[in-house]
């Protein structure tokens, strides 16, 4: 199964990054706008977040390894 993450790094008043995980590639534009508005006062002047695509494994041990690697970031 594929999932996606939009990720922004910077100084967001108490944290150094924001990320949103989602399942539909068609939602990229909407989630990008929402993430930029949530992170920045002037969303139109900010760079777009980084998009990552992940193949999520279905076996339990592989899924746990995936979660340990990516979900704390």
């Amino acid at each position: 199964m594929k999932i996606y993450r939009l990720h922004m790094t910077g100084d967001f008043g108490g944290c150094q990054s924001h990320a949103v995980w989602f399942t539909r590639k068609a939602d990229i534009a909407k989630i990008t706008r929402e993430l930029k508005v949530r992170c920045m006062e002037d969303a139109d002047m900010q760079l777009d977040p980084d998009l990552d695509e992940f193949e999520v494994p279905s076996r339990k041990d592989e899924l746990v390894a995936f979660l340990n690697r990516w979900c704390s970031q």
Side-chain angles (χ1 to χ4, degrees), residues 14-38:
C15 63
Q16 297 300 312
S17 66
H18 280 298
V20 176
W21 294 83
F22 55 102
T23 59
R24 291 176 3 117
K25 201 170 189 175
D27 293 335
I28 291 171
K30 177 183 176 221
I31 294 171
T32 295
R33 283 190 305 275
E34 291 171 356
L35 183 60
K36 287 168 68 173
V37 166
R38 187 171 62 186

Side-chain angles (χ1 to χ4, degrees), residues 1-70:
M1 166 179 65
K2 284 191 193 239
I3 62 172
Y4 306 92
R5 177 181 70 175
L6 283 170
H7 183 262
M8 291 182 80
T9 302
D11 182 7
F12 301 117
C15 63
Q16 297 300 312
S17 66
H18 280 298
V20 176
W21 294 83
F22 55 102
T23 59
R24 291 176 3 117
K25 201 170 189 175
D27 293 335
I28 291 171
K30 177 183 176 221
I31 294 171
T32 295
R33 283 190 305 275
E34 291 171 356
L35 183 60
K36 287 168 68 173
V37 166
R38 187 171 62 186
C39 292
M40 305 292 176
E41 291 179 18
D42 190 357
D44 291 330
M45 298 299 293
Q46 300 302 319
L47 297 175
D48 286 332
D50 295 322
L51 174 65
D52 300 306
E53 182 177 303
F54 298 89
E55 186 65 41
V56 179
S58 58
R59 286 189 30 209
K60 187 185 281 189
D61 58 335
E62 293 172 349
L63 176 60
V64 169
F66 172 88
L67 293 171
N68 283 327
R69 173 141 195 243
W70 291 106

